Amino acid sequence: MMEVVFNRPVDILLRLLESITPRSILEDFFNRFGAGEAASMCLMLASKIVHTENPISNGTAEKAAEAFEDPRLVGMPQLEGSSSLTNPRTPPGGFSMGQVVQEAEPVFSGAHEGLCVCSSRLLFPVWELPVFILKGGSGSSDAGLENGVIVCRLSIGTMEILESKIRSLEQRVGDQSMIRNLFGGYSRNAESSEGAASNKRQRLPYSPAELATVEVQAMECIRQLLLRSGEALFLLQLLSQHHVARLTQGFDASLQQSLIQLTFHQLVCSEEGDQLATRLISTLMEYYTGPDGRGTVDDISGWLREGCPSDYKEADYKFYLAVEFLERAAVTADAQEKDNLAREAFNFLTKVPESADLRTICKRFEELRFYEAVVQLPLQKAQALDPSGDASNEQLDEGIRENVLSQRRQCYGIISSALCSLKGVSGQREFGSPTRPTTINKSVLDKVSRDKYICQIVQLGVQSPDRLFHKHLDRTMIDLGLENELLEYGGPDLVPFLQNAGRQPIQEVRAVSAVTLAPSLAGHSITTSESKYFELLARYYVLKRQHLLAAHILLRLAERRSTDSGDVPTLEQRWQYLSNAVLQAKNASSGDGLLGSARGAFDSGVVGNA
């Protein structure tokens, strides 16, 4: 019986390679078993993934690899139906109206077929089967999921053996001498001979070198599939070692059901598989970095970065290092050390702003009162999501702009949420929503501390060159009742924002004399919502000692009209506007107040010469 086992075709090929065998005998072997099957045997021997009576020596493995690469044995990629392009009955250089020209398609060599055969024999047993199973439950209902536990279908030992074979095959195929130089010299010789005869026959759609390149690219795709499969098996082993049931106990029923239905094919090739793998890795990292963690990020990251780098990249490593620093900062009593740990986490996250879940991570920075990260990280992510500034490009399609702007708003909303928390209000509102949020219980911070952190957020936001964020910040502060802070720390975009928010542009103001005010603006319709922004603009001008402009705005508010009878200011309100306008006009006329305010108005472009 053992003689039968070790007289398989692959054993015959092994003995041929171990001995000094004429090439004709090796060619006869390829002819008898077919180039594809023989090439797959060479690949198994070269990768040492087939069981043999004695270990395969390195020399024999190299001979098998050379046979796999030899175009004289495995053949060359050709065009299907290419022989029909030349008709023996058609004279050279002639043309036959009755000739049917077939569309030629590439037919790959035995090397490609051998790689496909070898790969499929390894992957087929697990390809369409579920990765996880439910033990002790039905899996058809929530109750069934609760009564059972999720485990890997294959044992750790089985997955380890399969991973080892797949990785050995992938590494052998990925060897430079096997993929990059495949058909190299032979295809160049064939192309040169074709060039000499190109004037005697019709030019084929692909040259031999181009066909060889196409086949090498196809083989590279298979190698990538093997690589991803090996990484998936490694991840499954790591999850099994940490008990899948424990890692997934916090998953909801829908996510658990998705895990049970996940096939190996989906885990390797689908977007859903990538998402579930990322979620499982995240849960595994929480096991290590949580308050009762069993180690450090470096402990588990070393395995993940080596075993499945496609699922755990350098950006993930930096992110989880930041999480680890935040966890340490949360339990540290010393204020200086807490701040240092938070800054270390911030420094890591600034290198990977687009890959972090900022809504969750910035909440941790809020708890540590490290608001520099709360402002800078969302703004960096907004820039990373829209590096070319499409959200402000009015020449782009409106749908594209709105999509990019929506992504930016999500980032801006994280900063708005921090302001809401400090102000003591709740509710995530859409950008520019006129409704005020609902008041909630304020944090344990005293008013002085809250005001300090609010000012810090505003100052950091104003320093940003992102003008779209400036508009978002201005509206948020007005909605939260932070007008005083807005007027004090507002940036250069504040005046244009208040003007545009009021919709009507400011009319020209002429400084005729030291006691002459702006011409009457009666007749202009201004709604109550618009008047709010003009009132802030008037306050801003007073704060900046531009009294003439403030008087002009107040006069306009006093004379405003509205198409809605319920939106007309009362007589008392008009009198108050006029009184304040007169007061500002007097302030402007005293000393050089008028000249200074007028000069500032001209410089800012708000007031123009007649």
Side-chain angles (χ1 to χ4, degrees):
M1 185 65 180
M2 291 299 295
E3 183 178 356
V4 175
V5 171
F6 291 107
N7 274 283
R8 301 166 298 176
V10 68
D11 298 310
I12 298 174
L13 177 60
L14 175 61
R15 286 196 292 271
L16 291 177
L17 294 173
E18 288 176 337
S19 61
I20 303 176
T21 305
R23 174 170 293 276
S24 58
I25 297 179
L26 200 58
E27 291 175 351
D28 182 63
F29 182 88
F30 271 75
N31 291 332
R32 284 178 178 273
F33 291 98
E37 280 290 347
S40 70
M41 297 180 210
C42 289
L43 202 50
M44 287 189 289
L45 293 173
S47 306
K48 300 181 181 180
I49 61 174
V50 62
H51 178 70
T52 57
E53 184 177 8
N54 298 312
I56 301 173
S57 65
N58 293 335
T60 302
E62 290 303 320
K63 286 184 178 180
E66 291 173 2
F68 177 83
E69 301 169 21
D70 193 343
R72 292 169 294 181
L73 295 175
V74 298
M76 286 286 295
Q78 298 178 356
L79 286 175
E80 183 180 13
S82 59
S83 59
S84 63
L85 293 176
T86 56
N87 192 325
R89 292 179 296 179
T90 303
F95 179 73
S96 173
M97 291 294 293
Q99 181 178 352
V100 178
V101 179
Q102 300 177 359
E103 183 178 355
E105 296 182 357
V107 177
F108 293 146
S109 71
H112 178 272
E113 182 183 350
L115 177 58
C116 292
V117 169
C118 199
S119 302
S120 63
R121 286 173 178 166
L122 290 174
L123 294 175
F124 180 77
V126 298
W127 194 243
E128 294 297 344
L129 293 178
V131 174
F132 302 101
I133 58 174
L134 187 68
K135 280 192 173 182
S138 63
S140 58
S141 63
D142 293 350
L145 290 171
E146 292 177 359
N147 296 330
V149 293
I150 299 176
V151 297
C152 282
R153 188 178 63 86
L154 298 177
S155 66
I156 295 178
T158 301
M159 290 189 290
E160 183 179 5
I161 294 173
L162 183 56
E163 180 207 354
S164 175
K165 290 180 178 292
I166 290 175
R167 288 192 183 273
S168 296
L169 178 60
E170 182 272 324
Q171 290 170 3
R172 170 56 74 175
V173 174
D175 184 53
Q176 291 184 355
S177 63
M178 179 164 287
I179 285 290
R180 297 184 182 179
N181 298 329
L182 193 64
F183 314 125
Y186 194 84
S187 63
R188 286 191 292 270
N189 294 335
E191 187 170 15
S192 62
S193 62
E194 180 203 13
S198 60
N199 58 344
K200 297 182 180 180
R201 60 183 177 87
Q202 184 177 350
R203 175 72 164 87
L204 296 177
Y206 295 95
S207 68
E210 291 170 339
L211 282 172
T213 300
V214 172
E215 176 165 329
V216 168
Q217 291 173 348
M219 294 176 71
E220 174 61 21
C221 291
I222 299 175
R223 189 191 71 82
Q224 290 291 334
L225 177 64
L226 292 170
L227 177 64
R228 292 287 290 120
S229 299
E231 292 181 357
L233 287 167
F234 175 86
L235 177 60
L236 292 175
Q237 293 174 66
L238 194 59
L239 293 172
S240 294
Q241 291 169 1
H242 291 81
H243 303 292
V244 177
R246 179 173 56 195
L247 296 175
T248 59
Q249 63 183 356
F251 290 4
D252 57 31
S254 175
L255 189 55
Q256 289 184 353
Q257 192 68 40
S258 298
L259 280 177
I260 295 173
Q261 296 174 351
L262 182 70
T263 65
F264 189 78
H265 171 206
Q266 293 171 330
L267 177 62
V268 173
C269 299
S270 71
E271 183 178 353
E272 180 187 7
D274 288 341
Q275 293 173 352
L276 288 174
T278 301
R279 181 63 185 272
L280 289 168
I281 290 176
S282 176
T283 307
L284 183 61
M285 297 305 298
E286 290 176 6
Y287 175 78
Y288 274 80
T289 61
D292 56 345
R294 277 74 174 177
T296 66
V297 169
D298 285 329
D299 293 339
I300 187 68
S301 291
W303 299 332
L304 289 170
R305 294 167 75 184
E306 180 180 357
C308 49
S310 299
D311 293 315
Y312 190 81
K313 302 179 177 62
E314 185 67 20
D316 300 309
Y317 173 61
K318 288 184 171 61
F319 172 76
Y320 287 114
L321 274 178
V323 172
E324 183 178 40
F325 277 109
L326 290 176
E327 291 287 351
R328 290 168 54 189
V331 297
T332 300
D334 183 79
Q336 184 60 44
E337 184 180 358
K338 185 186 294 287
D339 187 76
N340 292 338
L341 290 171
R343 183 161 295 281
E344 287 288 343
F346 172 58
N347 291 336
F348 278 117
L349 291 171
T350 54
K351 301 173 184 177
V352 289
E354 70 283 354
S355 63
D357 179 12
L358 293 185
R359 190 166 295 279
T360 301
I361 210 74
C362 284
K363 275 296 181 184
R364 298 197 178 193
F365 280 111
E366 280 188 58
E367 295 169 358
L368 297 172
R369 307 303 175 191
F370 196 85
Y371 288 99
E372 181 181 354
V374 176
V375 176
Q376 298 292 356
L377 290 177
L379 292 180
Q380 286 185 13
K381 185 167 186 176
Q383 178 62 26
L385 293 173
D386 182 25
S388 57
D390 291 342
S392 304
N393 189 351
E394 297 181 356
Q395 297 180 352
L396 289 178
D397 178 74
E398 184 176 354
I400 297 176
R401 288 183 56 207
E402 184 59 34
N403 180 56
V404 178
L405 187 57
S406 175
Q407 293 178 330
R408 280 184 171 270
R409 287 170 180 164
Q410 292 179 9
C411 298
Y412 300 157
I414 297 173
I415 305 174
S416 301
S417 177
L419 283 173
C420 290
S421 299
L422 288 171
K423 185 63 178 176
V425 294
S426 67
Q428 289 293 328
R429 304 176 313 285
E430 291 297 325
F431 178 73
S433 172
T435 58
R436 285 184 177 269
T438 306
T439 303
I440 61 171
N441 293 331
K442 296 186 178 181
S443 65
V444 294
L445 287 174
D446 57 85
K447 185 179 184 304
V448 175
S449 298
R450 286 200 305 271
D451 292 344
K452 181 185 74 171
Y453 292 132
I454 288 174
C455 292
Q456 182 183 0
I457 291 176
V458 175
Q459 289 175 327
L460 288 169
V462 169
Q463 293 171 7
S464 168
D466 189 341
R467 293 192 173 185
L468 288 176
F469 172 68
H470 290 171
K471 294 180 181 179
H472 179 93
L473 180 63
D474 293 344
R475 286 189 182 275
T476 299
M477 295 183 69
I478 292 173
D479 289 343
L480 293 176
L482 297 172
E483 291 90 350
N484 293 335
E485 291 81 357
L486 176 63
L487 296 177
E488 182 177 358
Y489 301 107
D493 296 334
L494 179 58
V495 171
F497 166 76
L498 294 175
Q499 292 174 352
N500 294 330
R503 293 196 298 183
Q504 296 291 343
I506 298 178
Q507 303 294 321
E508 291 185 355
V509 179
R510 300 180 183 180
V512 178
S513 67
V515 293
T516 304
L517 290 178
S520 174
L521 298 173
H524 289 278
S525 176
I526 302 176
T527 65
T528 300
S529 61
E530 294 169 352
S531 66
K532 173 179 62 175
Y533 297 102
F534 283 124
E535 289 174 0
L536 284 175
L537 186 57
R539 289 176 57 187
Y540 176 82
Y541 285 139
V542 172
L543 188 65
K544 300 302 180 181
R545 303 182 63 82
Q546 294 179 326
H547 302 291
L548 181 61
L549 293 178
H552 167 71
I553 298 297
L554 292 168
L555 177 61
R556 179 176 179 177
L557 289 171
E559 297 178 338
R560 76 180 179 92
R561 295 181 180 180
S562 177
T563 55
D564 185 0
S565 59
D567 199 29
V568 177
T570 64
L571 183 61
E572 182 179 357
Q573 288 174 327
R574 293 184 187 277
W575 179 84
Q576 188 67 42
Y577 283 135
L578 285 173
S579 298
N580 290 332
V582 171
L583 177 61
Q584 296 306 317
K586 289 181 179 180
N587 290 335
S589 63
S590 61
D592 60 350
L594 174 63
L595 297 177
S597 62
R599 185 182 300 111
F602 278 106
D603 293 341
S604 65
V606 176
V607 182
N609 290 320

